[in-house]
């Protein structure tokens, strides 16, 4: 960036230096207290010193609302960006990112996050701690699963996951009550589904815990070690309405197909307490007809009501 930028344009609010071949942005950037939009797409940023030191402590950290660094060479999200607490829009698409740092949760004001076109393999659960996130774009990556914690993104309206390696979705995705666009084309779940699911038998501790919870055996915190009291509080209810059981660590993972918009059928992951609980639900190896007949009507209707666009093709 040219020297003297802050003297020439002290009230500068929008700066677009996209496609200029930049390899670094100098300290002049730190002296722009009114800058709220910085566009630096399609450059050569990403090496050491690409961003000025002290970025997180500069006035810019409070004023900047929109930052677009797509089409550069970042192999990781620069830690300095995670100190820009006023950011509402962050774009790092088309870089060389392999992961999303858990500290992304520090960007509490973030509403738009674009990370498409990278090499990301996993989504950290901490991403779900962005209360204002409305648009999340993770397309064209290497993501194999979606953490169920994403259901905590209550403001999310659009989720782009096309061209990844997804074979199922967590059933918790139905809790995204404001979601009206879900893009899934180009994932394995569209053309094939998980068929071989494993089940590890419960430990003796889990068997004892299941018995206590299902038979309502009374106990007080003073009766048991603190670790066991905490363990018993982690019981999950089996979603099979004909079972009434619980599970802790051991469960059967099962794909269940749910209607979206009355047109598409998506494979959602269910967790059952034992193989005996799988009979009321369709398994991934059954035909699509039997899957349709055994689907839960209430979940199908809720999904159809909440989803306006499901893009599979």
């Amino acid at each position: 960036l040219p020297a003297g930028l802050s003297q020439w344009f002290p009230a500068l609010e929008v700066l677009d230096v996209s496609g200029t071949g930049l390899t670094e942005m100098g300290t002049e950037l730190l002296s722009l207290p009114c800058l709220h939009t910085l566009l630096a797409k399609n450059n050569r940023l990403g090496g050491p010193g690409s961003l000025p030191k002290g970025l997180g402590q500069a006035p810019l950290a409070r004023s900047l609302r929109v930052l677009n660094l797509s089409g550069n060479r970042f192999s990781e999200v620069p830690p300095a960006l995670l100190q820009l607490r006023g950011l509402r829009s962050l774009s790092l698409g088309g870089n060389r990112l392999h992961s999303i740092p858990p500290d992304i949760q520090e960007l509490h004001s973030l509403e738009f996050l674009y990370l498409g076109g990278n090499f990301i393999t996993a989504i950290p659960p901490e991403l779900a701690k962005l209360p204002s996130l409305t648009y999340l774009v993770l397309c064209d990556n290497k993501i194999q699963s979606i953490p169920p914690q994403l259901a905590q993104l209550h403001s999310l309206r659009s989720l782009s996951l096309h061209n990844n390696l997804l074979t199922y979705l967590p059933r918790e995705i139905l809790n995204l009550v404001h979601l009206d666009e879900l893009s899934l084309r180009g994932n394995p779940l569209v053309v094939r589904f998980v068929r071989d699911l494993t089940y590890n038998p419960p430990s003796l501790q889990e068997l004892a815990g299941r018995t206590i919870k299902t038979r309502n055996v009374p106990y007080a915190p003073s009766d048991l070690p603190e670790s066991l009291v905490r363990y018993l509080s982690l019981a999950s209810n089996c979603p099979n309405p004909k079972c009434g059981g619980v599970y802790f660590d051991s469960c059967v993972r099962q794909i269940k197909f749910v209607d979206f918009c009355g047109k598409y059928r998506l494979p959602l992951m269910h967790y059952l307490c034992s193989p005996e609980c799988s009979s009321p639900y369709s398994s991934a190896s059954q035909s699509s007809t039997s899957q349709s007949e055994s689907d839960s009507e209430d979940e199908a209707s809720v999904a159809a009501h909440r989803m306006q666009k499901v893009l599979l093709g």
Side-chain angles (χ1 to χ4, degrees), residues 110-176:
L110 206 61
E111 299 174 4
F112 179 91
L113 179 60
Y114 190 105
L115 297 174
N118 283 287
F119 304 96
I120 298 168
T121 57
I123 303 173
E126 289 81 3
L127 190 64
K129 297 182 180 180
L130 297 175
S132 302
L133 195 63
T134 306
Y135 298 92
L136 176 58
V137 181
L138 295 168
C139 59
D140 299 293
N141 278 288
K142 307 290 182 182
I143 298 169
Q144 299 184 42
S145 63
I146 304 299
Q149 288 86 350
L150 283 196
Q152 300 169 18
L153 292 173
H154 301 302
S155 299
L156 199 64
R157 299 187 64 88
S158 178
L159 177 58
S160 296
L161 294 167
H162 52 272
N163 298 331
N164 276 285
L165 302 175
L166 297 171
T167 54
Y168 69 91
L169 297 175
R171 66 193 301 268
E172 288 82 358
I173 200 170
L174 298 177
N175 295 326
L176 293 173

